Amino acid sequence: MEAVPQHMTGDERHPDISTVYEEGSRASDPIVELLRQYVPGNTSVFTIAVCTTILHQLLTLVPPYLLGVTLNAFFTGQRTALSVAFVPQPWIPSSIRGQFGFIAGLFVATALATALTQAVQLVTFRWFQQSVLHDLRTDAYDATKRLDMAFFETEATGNVMSVLNNDVNQLRDFLLGGLRQFIESATLLVGLLVFMIGLHWQLTLFSMSFLPVMFGLVYVYQQAIEPRYEDRRSAVGELNAHVQNAIEGIETIKTFSTEQRESAQHRMHSRAFWHADWRAAKLSGLFYSTRRLLTEVMSLAIVVVGGWWALFGPPFVFSASLSTGLFVTFLFYGRRLVQESSQIGDLVDTYTDARASAKRVFGLFQYPTGRLESANAEPLGSVDGHVEYRDVSFTYPGADSSTLEDVSFETKPGEFVGLVGPTGAGKSTILKLLLRLYETDEGTITIDGIDVSTTTLESLREAIGYVSQDPFLFGGTVRENIAYSDPNADERRIVEAAKRANAHEFIRDLPDGYHTAVGERGVKLSGGQRQRITIARAILKDPPILILDEATSHVDNQTELLIQESLHDLIATRTTFVIAHQLSTIREADRLLVLRDGRIVESGDHEELIERDGLYASLWKIHTGETTKLPEQLRSHG
Ligand code: ADP
């Protein structure tokens, strides 16, 4: 997989998930690719499944043959001597009774073998399919987590969910039905042709004369249906995306009472899906009925021509005669040949559908990520906390103007750095670059002199504790949420972390204490409570570098002060970056970086910056209430 060129920005860097596979100019068909990647892990079971499927299908061809032989030997005027293909003549009894019993025995043996092979085939195929699906499902899920943040901003969550659910399920249908049916049909077609040619090549030639028409029909259909299936799939994606958005934003919808507008939009997406489905359904309806007609005409032609042949001798240019028994065998075989060749249509249908899904699943796998780990990425090792930004510039994908420009600064290990500036100045973005949630466009960021883009992401993030301004809790208990950073932590450490985050008291008062379920995304807790749990999570992690991004914005001043106090030791012993609107919170910082429009405009400690009487001094005056007048330099930004 190729890394995305650094100069690419905006949407160029984020292609549509459905087109990634094709744009990667991968030569092979996505279904072939699917089998190539997933069969090797299940080779033995796949081999048994395929062999028994072939055997089973071939066995189903035996009874019509035996029937023809029986008719010719016992029931027609011709009364030819009994001979069965692949059975040595000495094995066949000489008396009529003996021969009849022998044939009956062959029928029974065939029936038993057919049942047995079918049982083995079904069980082994099922195992193979589920095993492949398991691998595919887990790979798709892992692939989603490998993607960078920018992906989730350009692709709607519903679209990603649709790949993980609908497309993987579509492939399940293909693996459960389509693939087996393909092997069955291919075996039958080849087997039938070999049997039929062996028995009577001239009648076979006639029976096959319709096949080009059938294949032509199937081909035209496949060309026409594929784009319609793709349209249908993207319509489902959009519908899901809307539903997901509406459920996530249910509170906003209710408070703004926009239910009707949302319903109208949902109706629009649902109707778009309906139309897309209808366009596909119309075409497949037409195809199936035409195919059925063709099947019936072909079968009838074999009955009429074969019957004539047996009664009055070879028609048209043919010369070989046809016995009654063989005619009966051919009635079965001919119909089967026609049916199987028409099955190709179903197969093409399932295959086309599965191909569109496989393309999207592989698109997800191969989605270019900005933050690919280079093959020789090294773990970061133990960290002192010396962080340096050198001429760092960055623009969010799709943004018009640059978000950060030429940001340079350096921190000593253990330093407490406060980031100050108006909303939107780029404070959070600076710290997200340190975590490599996004890649810098220019410049380098180093930790202890090591360029973070050369380290493994795991070791980098291991070294950094990050508390964001949007505290996210997973559905589960309070305890599980705190221990998320260290699932093996014992009770004592969890409680201690909670105490330092000033969370212990309220947790104890919850109905089940640390074992209280927090609800999906933590909805059962207040914003401030969620925030304190995420702080406890970071404390438990005990990282050498700590980032608190408005970590206390949802708590009242008094609680904020308490948290500050308890964090004091933590901050003193590691490099800490703090973004806070309450300037008093970061007043004690060893160094303050003041940002405006993506640039560092001032830097120094509180006293130095007050003395300088610049942007920070103005902000401080507003904070302390010394002035209520917005300084000129903030008028266009705040
Ligand atoms: P701050 O933390 O100083 O309030 P941010 O770093 O969050 O500012 O944002 C800096 C700028 O980048 C803002 O103009 C914001 O609109 C923009 N921005 C932030 N996040 C994204 C994003 N995910 N995609 C595009 N633009 C973003």
Side-chain angles (χ1 to χ4, degrees):
M1 204 181 308
E2 299 142 32
V4 177
Q6 284 292 310
H7 64 268
M8 281 173 82
T9 53
D11 292 337
E12 263 180 276
R13 201 156 52 175
H14 294 96
D16 179 25
I17 205 167
S18 322
T19 56
V20 171
Y21 186 80
E22 276 167 348
E23 279 166 6
S25 64
R26 265 139 196 108
S28 73
D29 181 286
I31 293 292
V32 175
E33 185 66 22
L34 177 81
L35 298 176
R36 203 179 61 74
Q37 286 193 19
Y38 291 97
V39 171
N42 303 283
T43 322
S44 42
V45 74
F46 183 67
T47 313
I48 300 174
V50 171
C51 291
T52 46
T53 304
I54 293 175
L55 197 60
H56 173 71
Q57 292 305 318
L58 293 179
L59 281 167
T60 63
L61 298 180
V62 175
Y65 169 73
L66 289 180
L67 189 64
V69 167
T70 313
L71 283 178
N72 277 350
F74 306 115
F75 300 105
T76 65
Q78 295 150 355
R79 279 292 185 97
T80 48
L82 181 66
S83 93
V84 182
F86 303 116
V87 177
Q89 205 58 35
W91 291 13
I92 297 175
S94 48
S95 71
I96 295 285
R97 269 174 203 274
Q99 287 180 354
F100 196 75
F102 182 74
I103 283 285
L106 280 183
F107 268 111
V108 172
T110 311
L112 287 177
T114 311
L116 184 70
T117 49
Q118 183 167 41
V120 178
Q121 169 211 10
L122 288 178
V123 172
T124 48
F125 242 112
R126 189 80 189 188
W127 175 273
F128 166 73
Q129 289 146 349
Q130 288 301 345
S131 168
V132 169
L133 268 176
H134 168 75
D135 295 346
L136 185 71
R137 216 183 291 125
T138 45
D139 283 356
Y141 180 74
D142 291 348
T144 314
K145 295 218 289 329
R146 176 188 61 87
L147 299 164
D148 61 4
M149 289 303 295
F151 171 87
F152 295 96
E153 281 153 19
T154 21
E155 286 281 337
T157 324
N159 236 341
V160 183
M161 293 297 285
S162 158
V163 175
L164 289 177
N165 291 331
N166 299 354
D167 290 319
V168 170
N169 280 349
Q170 195 71 48
L171 290 178
R172 181 195 62 193
D173 293 347
F174 170 74
L175 286 166
L176 286 182
L179 185 62
R180 198 185 71 207
Q181 189 161 27
F182 169 76
I183 298 169
E184 286 177 357
S185 292
T187 310
L188 268 179
L189 279 179
V190 173
L192 272 168
L193 287 178
V194 170
F195 269 50
M196 288 168 79
I197 290 170
L199 291 171
H200 200 288
W201 71 268
Q202 291 189 354
L203 187 52
T204 310
L205 205 63
F206 174 77
S207 309
M208 283 171 62
S209 60
F210 289 87
L211 291 187
V213 183
M214 183 63 92
F215 291 144
L217 179 74
V218 167
Y219 178 76
V220 171
Y221 172 70
Q222 193 206 354
Q223 296 300 310
I225 198 78
E226 178 151 9
R228 296 185 188 207
Y229 276 143
E230 281 185 10
D231 286 352
R232 190 174 69 178
R233 205 168 308 289
S234 57
V236 175
E238 277 166 31
L239 181 64
N240 286 349
H242 180 261
V243 171
Q244 174 128 5
N245 239 323
I247 288 175
E248 279 172 4
I250 190 71
E251 198 174 284
T252 314
I253 293 174
K254 281 189 189 296
T255 51
F256 281 84
S257 98
T258 48
E259 284 98 337
Q260 285 198 351
R261 193 166 70 202
E262 290 294 331
S263 290
Q265 283 207 355
H266 181 260
R267 206 168 300 131
M268 185 189 81
H269 286 300
S270 174
R271 187 160 291 143
F273 170 55
W274 172 16
H275 282 302
D277 183 69
W278 174 233
R279 288 186 65 231
K282 267 192 304 194
L283 195 66
S284 73
L286 185 67
F287 169 70
Y288 283 114
S289 49
T290 314
R291 192 187 76 175
R292 179 68 197 236
L293 185 67
L294 202 61
T295 313
E296 292 305 325
V297 169
M298 285 161 77
S299 305
L300 204 64
I302 296 173
V303 175
V304 173
V305 172
W308 178 281
W309 205 317
L311 279 176
F312 310 113
F316 316 123
V317 293
F318 298 113
S319 55
S321 63
L322 180 69
S323 68
T324 315
L326 211 50
F327 169 55
V328 171
T329 302
F330 260 72
L331 284 186
F332 282 99
Y333 282 176
R335 192 164 180 89
R336 199 81 193 268
L337 181 74
V338 173
Q339 273 170 351
E340 284 311 318
S341 62
S342 77
Q343 288 283 353
I344 303 279
D346 286 343
L347 279 176
V348 167
D349 226 19
T350 332
Y351 165 80
T352 313
D353 235 4
R355 212 166 81 127
S357 289
K359 256 195 240 171
R360 283 158 59 89
V361 173
F362 282 116
L364 185 70
F365 287 178
Q366 289 154 0
Y367 202 91
T369 55
R371 55 162 182 73
L372 269 187
E373 255 176 22
S374 65
N376 42 13
E378 298 265 351
L380 196 53
S382 83
V383 169
D384 292 333
H386 172 209
V387 176
E388 185 180 0
Y389 279 58
R390 218 176 298 140
D391 303 321
V392 171
S393 295
F394 172 73
T395 307
Y396 277 106
D400 302 334
S401 55
S402 63
T403 316
L404 295 179
E405 259 182 78
D406 287 332
V407 170
S408 297
F409 67 90
E410 199 177 341
T411 69
K412 292 197 275 294
E415 212 173 353
F416 171 13
V417 179
L419 284 92
V420 191
T423 306
K427 304 180 292 291
S428 302
T429 309
I430 289 193
L431 300 177
K432 284 180 183 165
L433 293 182
L434 182 61
L435 278 158
R436 283 179 69 200
L437 290 178
Y438 300 89
E439 285 299 329
T440 57
D441 293 334
E442 278 167 41
T444 47
I445 303 174
T446 59
I447 294 179
D448 296 349
I450 300 168
D451 186 341
V452 292
S453 63
T454 64
T455 64
T456 61
L457 287 166
E458 194 181 346
S459 68
L460 174 69
R461 291 173 185 167
E462 196 71 21
I464 304 174
Y466 176 64
V467 183
S468 90
Q469 46 191 316
D470 308 312
F472 182 87
L473 300 189
F474 292 95
T477 65
V478 170
R479 186 190 187 286
E480 283 162 358
N481 267 291
I482 297 179
Y484 190 73
S485 56
D486 183 359
N488 299 322
D490 58 27
E491 204 67 30
R492 189 186 56 76
R493 287 183 55 217
I494 290 174
V495 172
E496 195 180 316
K499 280 185 178 160
R500 291 180 83 169
N502 210 268
H504 179 66
E505 310 271 301
F506 91 77
I507 295 174
R508 222 184 29 199
D509 291 343
L510 291 172
D512 295 319
Y514 281 83
H515 297 285
T516 308
V518 298
E520 208 177 337
R521 298 190 306 275
V523 287
K524 292 189 187 160
L525 301 177
S526 77
Q529 290 172 334
R530 285 206 290 274
Q531 223 158 25
R532 279 178 275 169
I533 290 179
T534 54
I535 294 175
R537 192 189 277 169
I539 294 174
L540 185 70
K541 184 173 174 182
D542 193 24
I545 298 173
L546 182 66
I547 297 175
L548 303 173
D549 183 352
E550 305 257 359
T552 47
S553 57
H554 294 296
V555 299
D556 55 52
N557 289 351
Q558 189 194 343
T559 314
E560 182 169 23
L561 219 67
L562 286 169
I563 298 176
Q564 285 296 322
E565 271 173 25
S566 53
L567 285 180
H568 192 268
D569 292 352
L570 200 72
I571 291 176
T573 51
R574 66 206 69 223
T575 306
T576 311
F577 295 93
V578 178
I579 301 176
H581 272 306
Q582 291 281 3
L583 294 190
S584 52
T585 326
I586 44 177
R587 184 190 164 150
E588 301 304 323
D590 299 317
R591 186 181 350 185
L592 293 163
L593 301 173
V594 187
L595 270 110
R596 203 179 138 217
D597 291 343
R599 290 174 177 276
I600 297 180
V601 290
E602 292 168 18
S603 149
D605 67 19
H606 177 76
E607 266 65 41
E608 285 164 6
L609 292 180
I610 292 290
E611 202 143 296
R612 207 175 143 158
D613 200 21
L615 179 58
Y616 179 79
S618 306
L619 292 169
W620 181 255
K621 278 182 199 154
I622 296 172
H623 174 72
T624 55
E626 203 175 307
T627 179
T628 50
K629 203 167 148 278
L630 199 62
E632 209 39 55
Q633 52 195 345
L634 290 180
R635 283 232 163 253
S636 54
H637 303 281

